[in-house]
Amino acid sequence: MLPEEWEREIRHLCAEGQCLRAAETARAARTAHPGDLRIAVLSALVTARTGGEEAALTELERLSPDVVPAPAAIEEIVDRFAGRTLPPLPAGEAPPSQQIGEHRRLAVDVLADAADIFLEGWERDADPRHLRRARDLWLVHWDRSGNGGSLSSAARLTWLLGDPTGSRRMAETAVTRLGDSSAAPTTFESLAARALAQMILGQPEEALETLARLAYLGDHNHLPKALARRALAELAAHGLPVPPEAFARLTPPGMVVFAAPPWPAGAVPMLPDDDVVRSALRPVMNEWRPDIAYTGAMPGPDLLFVEAMLEQGGEVNLVLPFAIDEFVAAHVAPAGQVWETRFRSALARAASVTVASPDPYNADGLLFHLAGLITRGIVCARAAKLGARPYLILAGPTTADLDLTLAADWGCKARLRVLDLTLHPPPRPAPKAPQRTIRAMLFADIAGYGQLGDDQLPLFWDRMSAVVQDICGERNCPVLAESWGDAIYLVMQSAAAAADAAFALADAVPVLADPALPEGLALRIGLHAGPVFSGIHPLTGRPMVSGSAVTRTARIEPVVEPGRIYASEQFAAILAWETASDSTPGPYYCEHLGPLPLAKGCCVQSVCHLRRRSVAPALHPVDGSPGVDQVPTVLRPTRPG
């Protein structure tokens, strides 16, 4: 394969969220083309995306003479905006470097990727050197491409570096290069970049006029709008006057969770009349005007809500408790062919379909509860990314059947509606024994444990005992704790408790740095949450927890990179819900890595890299701006071509 073919494949995998496959492909590409600069920088980007920021930064530092010009050349570009070398370029005129030759633009396509890596390094450790490197990369991108969005990003980071004069000079040229905001056609990103540059120049009226044009580009640019809002909040936090109207032009999307109780499996449901449900929904839909919805797909209120969302052009995301075919057989087909047709239509038009658990249904209803937890977690995570505050609609046959626990846990009652569709559902069948419960599970082992000799084992376990109190404290007392050899198996009541235990174990690694122990000891930790059976082991008489969810957790752990903590997407969603807050981000966050083949050919599982949130740079909202922890900080400019 040619380098550009490798590059397209790596970028495609990243765009699909398959970061682990992208990393594997990047390694193969570097082997095939060891001297290709684009492949090298893209490989560093993928390394950062899979949790190796330090390694990525180190690699970029090594490559930087090829990616970034020498400091004197950077200074020459900066000087240009002081008017000492060249005047600001008029729109349409290429920068001098474009007139020199192709070799000066070798790394243009990856400069933005490299800038992102350094910017993420700054977000993690607040090191201004990383911020300055990101700014320099945007400047070089501008110098080699003439892209006004790149220069707008450089102006923004220059302001954050405490140089308002230099920032304004860059912003002035960026506005010129980006052209007249009234001209069409244009893109959301170029308009947002122009508005940011105008705000830096102290032209709030012009910036507001540019932001007003964003409405003409449609209401579905949710993430670009959130990134622009975050960028404005950063600038405001660093002293730039930003009028509240600017944030009003970048309002987050309306998000809603719709929940209705399931009918018993196989029962012919007494469904409410369509018009009754539509009449109950109409006032809420008119008041909240949701853009994005997450819901189940049961016949009756669920599917009627889906249809109402689609009629008004909204985005619908379905979360099913178990496999689609089994769900249809148990809960859709008994309602009749008409409802099955409506279900298939909703499935085809949904923006996403998530299956909460691969486990069989067993008609005990627990998987519906799991689907509800996962739905709330997905919504919390996405709402944080988009700066949105989700709403909840509870609808059901009788008030007693509604998920009152969910209503009680919902953070803001002003964003909650209960629709009482007064009907009497058929009686529920008696539950089958034994009953399943939802638990979070942790499997861990120690890479390098096999190097330990018998004379070292007592010291090793003495060091490990230092974390027992943290793992088994009052908050985190395991439901079950087992260990054999270097393996550790914990079952916890909640995902948050399991995450606490995972990081307590991870924190023990420095304790193992003893001259009397082998070097390179590292933990691999896998986390999952799902339905399990609890009972007493017939041979040992001790408590046991069993089920396919336990097996899945055990199969995640062997494929974890040493020193990392991987979690299933189910665990990540439940953790997001348990730690959600309207005011502050939770202590943990998950980076999606994509599908990963598990050990022993178990299955392919979508996994995340679980990280502990560090203290972010001091970016505090002012003038009514949103909290900047609500959305990502990276604002990507319009790419050339």
Side-chain angles (χ1 to χ4, degrees), residues 543-630:
M544 71 172 183
V545 174
S546 61
S548 60
V550 177
T551 304
R552 186 173 294 257
T553 315
R555 300 296 180 258
I556 292 173
E557 176 268 313
V559 298
V560 177
E561 291 286 335
R564 308 272 176 87
I565 302 173
Y566 285 3
S568 69
E569 60 180 350
Q570 292 90 343
F571 182 95
I574 294 173
L575 178 65
W577 168 248
E578 290 178 356
T579 59
S581 168
D582 277 349
S583 57
T584 58
Y588 308 114
Y589 66 99
C590 293
E591 295 174 339
H592 184 67
L593 298 179
L596 178 66
L598 302 189
K600 298 186 178 181
C602 168
C603 62
V604 175
Q605 168 73 50
S606 185
V607 299
C608 304
H609 181 200
L610 183 65
R611 311 289 296 274
R612 183 159 43 192
R613 197 180 300 278
S614 59
V615 178
L619 301 174
H620 304 292
V622 298
D623 296 329
S625 65
V628 295
D629 281 326
Q630 294 177 354

Side-chain angles (χ1 to χ4, degrees), residues 513-555:
D514 190 292
L517 296 176
E519 293 184 2
L521 294 175
L523 276 168
R524 286 188 294 252
I525 301 177
L527 297 163
H528 179 53
V532 297
F533 294 99
S534 299
I536 301 298
H537 197 287
L539 293 179
T540 66
R542 299 176 57 195
M544 71 172 183
V545 174
S546 61
S548 60
V550 177
T551 304
R552 186 173 294 257
T553 315
R555 300 296 180 258

Side-chain angles (χ1 to χ4, degrees), residues 16 358-359 428 524:
E16 292 289 317
D359 298 312
R428 297 181 181 274
R524 286 188 294 252

Side-chain angles (χ1 to χ4, degrees), residues 255-384:
M255 296 184 68
V256 65
V257 176
F258 184 89
W263 298 94
V268 179
M270 296 177 58
L271 297 174
D273 184 77
D274 287 13
D275 290 337
V276 172
V277 178
R278 291 193 183 104
S279 296
L281 284 172
R282 193 173 298 116
V284 183
M285 301 286 281
N286 289 339
E287 178 185 355
W288 289 347
R289 304 298 301 174
D291 302 294
I292 302 170
Y294 285 81
T295 180
M298 291 283 288
D302 278 359
L303 287 178
L304 288 165
F305 171 74
V306 168
E307 292 169 356
M309 279 293 301
L310 293 172
E311 284 173 9
Q312 69 178 37
E315 174 194 312
V316 172
N317 301 272
L318 300 179
V319 182
L320 303 181
F322 42 88
I324 293 174
D325 290 343
E326 191 177 4
F327 180 78
V328 170
H331 289 284
V332 180
Q337 184 59 48
V338 171
W339 281 106
E340 185 168 350
T341 300
R342 294 166 84 167
F343 170 82
R344 298 291 182 187
S345 175
L347 208 65
R349 299 178 65 187
S352 70
V353 179
T354 301
V355 175
S357 174
D359 298 312
Y361 177 29
N362 285 350
D364 63 6
L366 184 72
L367 296 186
F368 282 94
H369 181 58
L370 175 64
L373 290 174
I374 288 174
T375 300
R376 298 163 218 168
I378 292 172
V379 169
C380 286
R382 190 174 180 193

Side-chain angles (χ1 to χ4, degrees), residues 30 34-38 40-41 59-71 74 102-111 114 133 137 140 144:
R30 293 206 69 176
D36 190 276
L37 182 60
R38 291 170 299 172
V41 177
E59 179 68 1
L60 276 184
E61 294 285 356
R62 187 184 69 80
L63 293 169
S64 62
D66 294 321
V67 178
V68 186
I74 292 286
E102 184 69 21
H103 67 282
R104 288 289 304 276
R105 295 186 286 122
L106 174 65
V108 165
D109 291 341
V110 294
L111 285 168
R133 223 38 178 319
L137 285 162
V140 179
R144 296 177 180 177

Side-chain angles (χ1 to χ4, degrees), residues 57 61 114-139 153-163 234-235 238 617-619 633-634:
L57 287 170
E61 294 285 356
D116 282 353
I117 297 175
F118 281 109
L119 192 54
E120 289 168 4
W122 172 69
E123 291 166 3
R124 188 188 66 253
D125 55 26
D127 187 338
R129 292 175 299 175
H130 296 328
L131 184 61
R132 185 173 298 278
R133 223 38 178 319
R135 190 279 309 271
D136 291 349
L137 285 162
W138 284 127
L139 281 176
S153 291
R156 176 171 65 94
L157 301 189
T158 300
W159 185 282
L160 300 183
L161 283 165
D163 181 9
E234 284 182 332
L235 291 169
H238 283 75
L619 301 174
T633 59
V634 179

